[in-house]
């Protein structure tokens, strides 16, 4: 599995980048040994505190960060102490991969159960029933709606599902 640790690290970084952005990746890569407040992180990284908070809450939503609140005795303000949860990487990755897999399976089912027509100019893709109502004429450009063979697209989606299944098996 060690050869795949690099692949899993790459996938978790892609996920963080997509959800928490570049700042989320920077915070993740800090690998702090202890809890830090959002203000401390902001100062350390020289990044606006609102940007740091936004990224931290995105990491929290993913399950890769947690916080505890503590009232500052002097100011009365509530401070958030953040901790990255590196131990949850595989669980988060597994959950997200399963979510993508479900969406891909739904897409395959939809494509297989429906007949589609597409504008010869690529403007629209519609189901057969809608193409009939439109007299096989594109509502945008007036071009012809032609039968769309989704066989190759479905095969590609199934290949993606197979890759996800392989990753999920390795994550066990």
């Amino acid at each position: 599995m060690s050869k795949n640790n690099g692949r899993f690290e790459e996938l978790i970084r892609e996920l963080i980048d997509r959800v928490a952005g570049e700042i989320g990746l920077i915070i993740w890569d800090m690998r702090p040994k202890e809890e830090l407040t959002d203000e401390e992180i902001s100062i350390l990284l020289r990044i606006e505190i609102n940007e740091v908070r936004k990224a931290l809450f995105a990491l929290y939503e993913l399950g890769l960060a947690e916080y505890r609140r503590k009232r500052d005795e002097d100011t009365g303000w509530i401070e958030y102490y953040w901790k990255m949860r590196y131990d949850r990487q595989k669980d988060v990755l597994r959950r997200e991969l399963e979510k993508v897999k479900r969406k891909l399976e739904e897409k395959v089912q939809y494509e297989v159960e429906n007949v589609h027509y597409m504008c010869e100019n690529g403007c629209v893709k519609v189901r057969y029933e809608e193409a009939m109502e439109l007299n096989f004429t594109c509502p945008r450009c007036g071009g012809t709606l032609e039968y769309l063979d989704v066989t190759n697209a479905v095969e590609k989606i199934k290949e993606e599902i197979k890759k996800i299944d392989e990753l999920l098996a390795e994550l066990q």
Side-chain angles (χ1 to χ4, degrees):
M1 176 145 125
S2 60
K3 83 175 177 119
N4 288 318
N5 280 343
R7 178 67 181 138
F8 296 138
E9 180 68 24
E10 183 184 321
L11 287 171
I12 203 77
R13 290 180 61 75
E14 285 175 22
L15 178 62
I16 291 169
D17 187 38
R18 185 167 40 86
V19 174
E22 184 182 351
I23 294 170
L25 276 173
I26 292 168
I27 294 169
W28 183 256
D29 289 341
M30 280 178 59
R31 296 209 174 265
K33 301 288 186 245
E34 72 273 341
E35 294 177 317
L36 294 171
T37 66
D38 44 11
E39 189 174 356
E40 290 169 330
I41 294 170
S42 173
I43 291 166
L44 280 169
L45 298 176
R46 296 183 181 151
I47 297 173
E48 283 289 325
I49 194 160
N50 288 339
E51 296 296 316
V52 167
R53 287 178 178 150
K54 183 177 167 186
L56 286 168
F57 278 106
L59 289 167
Y60 171 78
E61 290 293 319
L62 272 176
L64 293 173
E66 64 183 22
Y67 64 87
R68 69 180 174 86
R69 295 185 304 198
K70 182 180 173 192
R71 187 172 298 280
D72 183 290
E73 299 296 326
D74 298 328
T75 65
W77 291 86
I78 293 183
E79 293 184 309
Y80 287 79
Y81 288 83
W82 290 90
K83 177 181 174 182
M84 295 299 109
R85 293 301 308 262
Y86 300 98
D87 58 321
R88 292 185 184 163
Q89 291 181 87
K90 285 188 178 181
D91 292 334
V92 167
L93 197 51
R94 185 179 302 110
R95 183 190 69 224
E96 293 299 318
L97 284 170
E98 287 169 351
K99 206 186 298 182
V100 170
K101 180 184 171 184
R102 274 192 307 278
K103 287 180 181 175
L104 290 174
E105 288 170 338
E106 289 169 6
K107 176 88 170 143
V108 166
Q109 183 177 353
Y110 175 78
E111 293 296 339
V112 168
E113 290 176 355
N114 293 283
V115 175
H116 290 97
Y117 282 75
M118 186 158 198
C119 172
E120 62 188 346
N121 299 313
C123 298
V124 295
K125 174 183 168 185
V126 295
R127 291 187 12 239
Y128 173 74
E129 296 79 10
E130 191 176 350
M132 289 268 300
E133 290 173 14
L134 295 167
N135 282 332
F136 298 92
T137 303
C138 177
R140 290 203 185 137
C141 73
T144 303
L145 295 177
E146 299 173 342
Y147 171 74
L148 179 63
D149 183 0
V150 296
T151 308
N152 288 339
V154 167
E155 285 308 310
K156 284 189 168 114
I157 296 170
K158 286 180 178 178
E159 288 172 21
E160 285 300 311
I161 292 170
K162 184 179 177 197
K163 288 178 189 174
I164 290 172
D165 281 336
E166 290 168 2
L167 286 168
L168 287 169
E170 293 167 19
L171 277 168
Q172 299 305 332

